[in-house]
Amino acid sequence: MKKMIKASILCAAVAMVVASGCSKFSSNTNQTTAAETTAEAAADAAADVQTESYADESSITLGEYKKIPVQVTKRDVTDADVDAQINQVLTANPNYVEVDREAQDGDTVTIDYKGTINGEEFSGGSAEGYLLVLGSHSFIDGFEDGVVGMKAGENKDLNLKFPDGYGNKDLAGKDVVFNVTLQKVTEKKDAELNDEFVQKVAPDAKTVDGYKAQIRKSLEDQAAQSKKSEMDQQILQKLVDSSTIVLGKEEVEKEFNSLLIRTTQQAQQYGIDFDTYASYMGTNADGLRKMLRAQAENTVKSRLVLGEVAAKENLKAEDSDRQAIASMYGFDNIDALKESYTDASDEDIDKDALYMKVMTFLEKNADVTEVEPTQAAAEESSAADESKADGESSEEATAAQ
């Protein structure tokens, strides 16, 4: 399962470059089952999904690929951003301090307890050193209320009754006595940002200043990655739109069938069939196949434009590019990546390394404009309104006809 999860992460990243496509970096799990399912899925797709006519082979007339205008949202990391991130970490890592007082709601108590019915101990009714958060309603009614007010070292009997509808029928409705000894009371307190806390959650940072610098660097890396993703999606979409592309049947069908395999495998991992998986995606089996075919077509188009740019600029995958692919996913070298993903061939790796290299070339040659977040949001809203208006006008025209 671990390899499948990592494979899906790798596919997702490559997909960003090739418009939802994915190389052959995937686990060999369920290959036989998936292959058998593919034939059925492809037959269903052919019967249920109307597709455009494809040519015998793909061809492309590349649009202008230099100075592609793109607009990205400005993402400055502020002191407030750093503080907000640190506050989240503080909230998630409270201190638990032992206190010498009566237990109260919200405390975590350490208790020993033994439950008996008619003087006889019953299965599952006893424990030692049990950690209980008072107010969590983890026990039957009256238990936690009975512990509230106890102090460390105190022992008492709680005379209670199991609910009539209790899950264990042998206990439902029975009177029970819990003998409880409270060992320790701990109180949850907000963590404080100091060097001691930093050394607990981020030992490498060592000090508060070092931790703040580490958090800022992490947020800046996230912002840079978001900016890159936004830029790459626009560049690729505009390049595809400006190019004249004829799709070849074999390429599209191969990608479509590959997507069917992966989707079917995912459904099987969740223990559901294709139709149920489609419903989770907000559609039906026919609708999901249409989505996968559109995805396959976009993938082929993206690969075509990237390959054509590489040819025109004489770009080729080199060792440094292959190493970049390996490093991106936490491997020291390509051999380690191939060992983890046994079905990743040298050709697959070279293709993905080349796609990354072409995208870097296109980024460097793009005409990039940064806009403030408020401006980007306003323009996005305006574009959505225009799209909605166009759709309504189309519906009115259809109705009139």
Side-chain angles (χ1 to χ4, degrees):
M1 180 62 71
K2 182 178 180 181
K3 186 173 287 187
M4 283 296 293
I5 292 172
K6 289 199 70 176
S8 66
I9 294 173
L10 183 56
C11 287
V14 175
M16 181 188 74
V17 178
V18 291
S20 302
C22 180
S23 67
K24 295 180 181 178
F25 293 94
S26 58
S27 166
N28 292 321
T29 305
N30 293 332
Q31 277 192 340
T32 302
T33 303
E36 293 171 351
T37 305
T38 300
E40 298 176 7
D44 289 342
D48 296 342
V49 182
Q50 292 184 350
T51 62
E52 64 182 82
S53 297
Y54 301 122
D56 290 338
E57 60 182 39
S58 298
S59 63
I60 176 174
T61 301
L62 191 65
E64 179 54 50
Y65 59 89
K66 292 182 179 179
K67 297 296 181 182
I68 296 176
V70 296
Q71 182 174 286
V72 296
T73 306
K74 192 174 183 180
R75 293 177 171 87
D76 292 329
V77 176
T78 65
D79 290 343
D81 295 328
V82 175
D83 291 341
Q85 181 68 28
I86 291 176
N87 286 334
Q88 288 183 18
V89 179
L90 288 169
T91 301
N93 294 274
N95 291 321
Y96 291 90
V97 181
E98 185 173 355
V99 292
D100 184 17
R101 59 164 173 75
E102 294 181 348
Q104 59 189 33
D105 274 347
D107 289 339
T108 298
V109 294
T110 304
I111 59 173
D112 300 334
Y113 65 89
K114 181 172 70 173
T116 57
I117 296 177
N118 295 325
E120 296 292 329
E121 189 174 347
F122 59 91
S123 175
S126 303
E128 293 183 353
Y130 187 87
L131 295 177
L132 172 64
V133 179
L134 298 179
S136 64
H137 305 292
S138 303
F139 283 68
I140 62 174
D141 288 348
F143 189 99
E144 293 173 36
D145 290 340
V147 176
V148 169
M150 293 179 66
K151 295 187 66 174
E154 185 177 346
N155 174 277
K156 72 187 294 190
D157 286 334
L158 304 179
N159 296 289
L160 306 174
K161 183 178 181 178
F162 281 102
D164 292 336
Y166 193 69
N168 186 335
K169 294 181 179 179
D170 292 335
L171 302 178
K174 298 287 183 65
D175 291 323
V176 59
V177 177
F178 283 104
N179 179 263
V180 179
T181 300
L182 193 148
Q183 295 181 3
K184 184 169 62 175
V185 179
T186 56
E187 178 182 356
K188 184 171 73 172
K189 292 188 175 181
D190 293 338
E192 295 182 15
L193 181 61
N194 50 37
D195 290 351
E196 183 181 357
F197 176 80
V198 168
Q199 289 160 18
K200 182 173 70 173
V201 298
D204 293 343
K206 297 182 180 178
T207 66
V208 171
D209 288 342
Y211 185 49
K212 287 184 175 181
Q214 189 181 86
I215 292 293
R216 182 178 292 275
K217 176 65 165 56
S218 175
L219 292 175
E220 288 174 346
D221 289 345
Q222 292 175 31
Q225 184 57 49
S226 295
K227 178 180 176 181
K228 174 179 170 58
S229 177
E230 186 179 6
M231 185 188 310
D232 286 352
Q233 289 173 11
Q234 289 185 52
I235 289 173
L236 196 51
Q237 188 59 59
K238 290 188 176 184
L239 184 53
V240 167
D241 291 344
S242 67
S243 301
T244 302
I245 300 173
V246 176
L247 293 174
K249 180 178 180 179
E250 183 177 350
E251 286 185 78
V252 175
E253 294 302 329
K254 181 179 179 180
E255 181 62 28
F256 176 56
N257 289 337
S258 178
L259 288 171
L260 279 171
I261 289 177
R262 291 199 294 273
T263 304
T264 303
Q265 284 180 327
Q266 288 172 347
Q268 290 172 343
Q269 288 171 14
Y270 291 125
I272 57 178
D273 59 22
F274 190 86
D275 287 6
T276 304
Y277 186 87
S279 70
Y280 290 166
M281 299 291 288
T283 184
N284 54 26
D286 183 47
L288 181 54
R289 292 189 190 99
K290 289 179 180 178
M291 290 166 58
L292 294 178
R293 182 166 291 279
Q295 187 174 333
E297 292 175 354
N298 287 335
T299 297
V300 174
K301 289 177 182 178
S302 298
R303 288 173 179 163
L304 286 170
V305 295
L306 292 175
E308 191 69 5
V309 172
K312 286 185 175 294
E313 294 296 327
N314 196 29
L315 300 175
K316 300 183 184 300
E318 300 174 350
D319 287 343
S320 59
D321 304 313
R322 300 181 187 95
Q323 180 58 43
I325 288 286
S327 299
M328 187 179 299
Y329 300 103
F331 295 98
D332 293 334
N333 51 57
I334 285 297
D335 290 337
L337 184 149
K338 290 167 65 177
E339 183 178 345
S340 182
Y341 301 99
T342 54
D343 57 346
S345 67
D346 291 337
E347 182 182 1
D348 295 327
I349 293 171
D350 279 358
K351 282 183 178 180
D352 290 333
L354 182 59
Y355 291 148
M356 294 288 187
K357 187 169 190 172
V358 174
M359 286 307 306
T360 300
F361 171 85
L362 293 172
E363 290 166 6
K364 291 179 178 179
N365 286 275
D367 183 9
V368 182
T369 302
E370 283 194 337
V371 298
E372 296 295 335
T374 51
Q375 180 184 346
E379 291 178 357
E380 187 174 319
S381 176
S382 176
D385 290 342
E386 289 180 6
S387 176
K388 181 179 179 182
D390 290 342
E392 291 174 349
S393 297
S394 176
E395 290 176 2
E396 290 173 359
T398 301
Q401 290 174 357

